[in-house]
Amino acid sequence: EFEDAGEGTAISMMADAFEELSDLIKNGNKNDELRLKVFCDACSLVSVLFGSLGLAFKFAEMEYTSKVRDLADAAEIYGTLSRVIDCDVKTDTVKSAESLTRKLRRVRQGLDLIRELFQNFLSTDDYSLKEAASSAYKQVCAPYHTWAVRTAVSAGMCALPTRDQLLLNLNETDESVEIEMRRYIKASLPVIKYIDNLYTARGITLDW
Ligand code: 1PZ
């Protein structure tokens, strides 16, 4: 399903992009300077994963990609992630329905969901994709979702492919997927922490 474009598999491209982001954060981004454009480019690579999950997660894909797109569209105006939040703080719209700071928070939750899912997936061969995904969702996103959304997601989980089918869809083997997932897990953590810090440094809690 996923076409190998000659630059590696979907997961390896995601891992590459997040390693670059985490390097940027480590080297000289101490002053909140991560560029929104660079961040959104990395986040949009995640969309390729959705194609490997089947139709049940079409709505999750649309939800995630539209938020990344809205952030990307604002990249020229705002420049950096920190400016987005500063502007919403100023206008008191941090948590407002269509605010970019809210969209950034949701995209961050998506990145964390994938990290948790990969971690579960690798923790034991006996874990089905459905179990790995359900438990990741329960931990990372469910607390912030409405009952209706949680119900739809748990219905969708039943339609997830098997482990083996997922590997086929992603063009990975047991060995290669472990390497790539571990790279993403390691590289996404500093990025997630960096985003969380942008909020907490401005006195915004992370309980939403
Ligand atoms: C192999 C991977 C299997 C993973 C399956 C995970 C399924 C997660 C499904 C999430 C569905 C979200 C549906 C809509 C949620 C919205 O209510 C919220 C709040 O939006 P707001 O009110 O702020 O406008 N939206 C979100 O939380 C953003 C969506 C994040 C989900 C991204 C998932 C990305 C990872 C999928 C792996 C490919």
Side-chain angles (χ1 to χ4, degrees):
E1 309 222 351
F2 168 67
E3 293 287 325
D4 192 327
E7 303 173 50
T9 61
I11 301 194
S12 78
M13 287 194 272
M14 266 172 67
D16 287 346
F18 280 86
E19 281 176 351
E20 278 167 37
L21 280 188
S22 67
D23 284 346
L24 282 174
I25 288 168
K26 264 178 250 155
N27 311 325
N29 258 287
K30 285 160 188 95
N31 305 321
D32 294 354
E33 291 306 315
L34 185 61
R35 310 285 305 167
L36 192 52
K37 168 89 167 66
V38 178
F39 173 74
C40 290
D41 285 348
C43 291
S44 64
L45 291 174
V46 171
S47 314
V48 192
L49 270 192
F50 285 108
S52 64
L53 296 179
L55 278 178
F57 284 98
K58 202 74 201 160
F59 73 103
E61 172 176 9
M62 285 161 56
E63 174 65 22
Y64 175 85
T65 54
S66 79
K67 284 178 161 74
V68 173
R69 194 182 324 112
D70 290 344
L71 286 165
D73 286 346
E76 249 178 76
I77 300 170
Y78 291 91
T80 62
L81 275 67
S82 63
R83 283 263 343 259
V84 168
I85 304 181
D86 283 336
C87 289
D88 276 319
V89 166
K90 225 171 262 167
T91 52
D92 198 17
T93 48
V94 165
K95 300 183 187 177
S96 304
E98 284 301 313
S99 95
L100 290 173
T101 300
R102 183 183 177 110
K103 287 175 202 217
L104 177 61
R105 174 103 188 106
R106 300 298 173 227
V107 169
R108 172 259 182 247
Q109 280 162 349
L111 300 178
D112 201 19
L113 175 67
I114 297 161
R115 188 198 51 77
E116 186 69 24
L117 167 75
F118 285 0
Q119 208 142 279
N120 291 343
F121 189 85
L122 295 180
S123 66
T124 156
D125 290 341
D126 301 331
Y127 233 0
S128 69
L129 178 62
K130 180 189 175 218
E131 288 168 312
S134 301
S135 134
Y137 175 76
K138 209 168 145 192
Q139 187 174 331
V140 177
C141 288
Y144 312 112
H145 284 171
T146 61
W147 179 84
V149 168
R150 293 198 306 271
T151 305
V153 170
S154 66
M157 292 290 178
C158 300
L160 282 175
T162 61
R163 271 182 93 95
D164 290 342
Q165 188 60 52
L166 180 74
L167 294 183
L168 279 176
N169 293 351
L170 290 171
N171 246 322
E172 301 281 355
T173 63
D174 272 319
E175 292 75 30
S176 68
V177 89
E178 169 150 11
I179 294 168
E180 305 303 345
M181 284 185 175
R182 290 218 186 283
R183 287 173 59 215
Y184 173 84
I185 292 168
K186 183 161 180 243
S188 62
L189 249 191
V191 177
I192 290 164
K193 284 210 180 116
Y194 173 86
I195 298 172
D196 284 351
N197 189 52
L198 294 177
Y199 289 76
T200 55
R202 289 161 178 79
I204 305 165
T205 56
L206 302 175
D207 55 351
W208 55 291

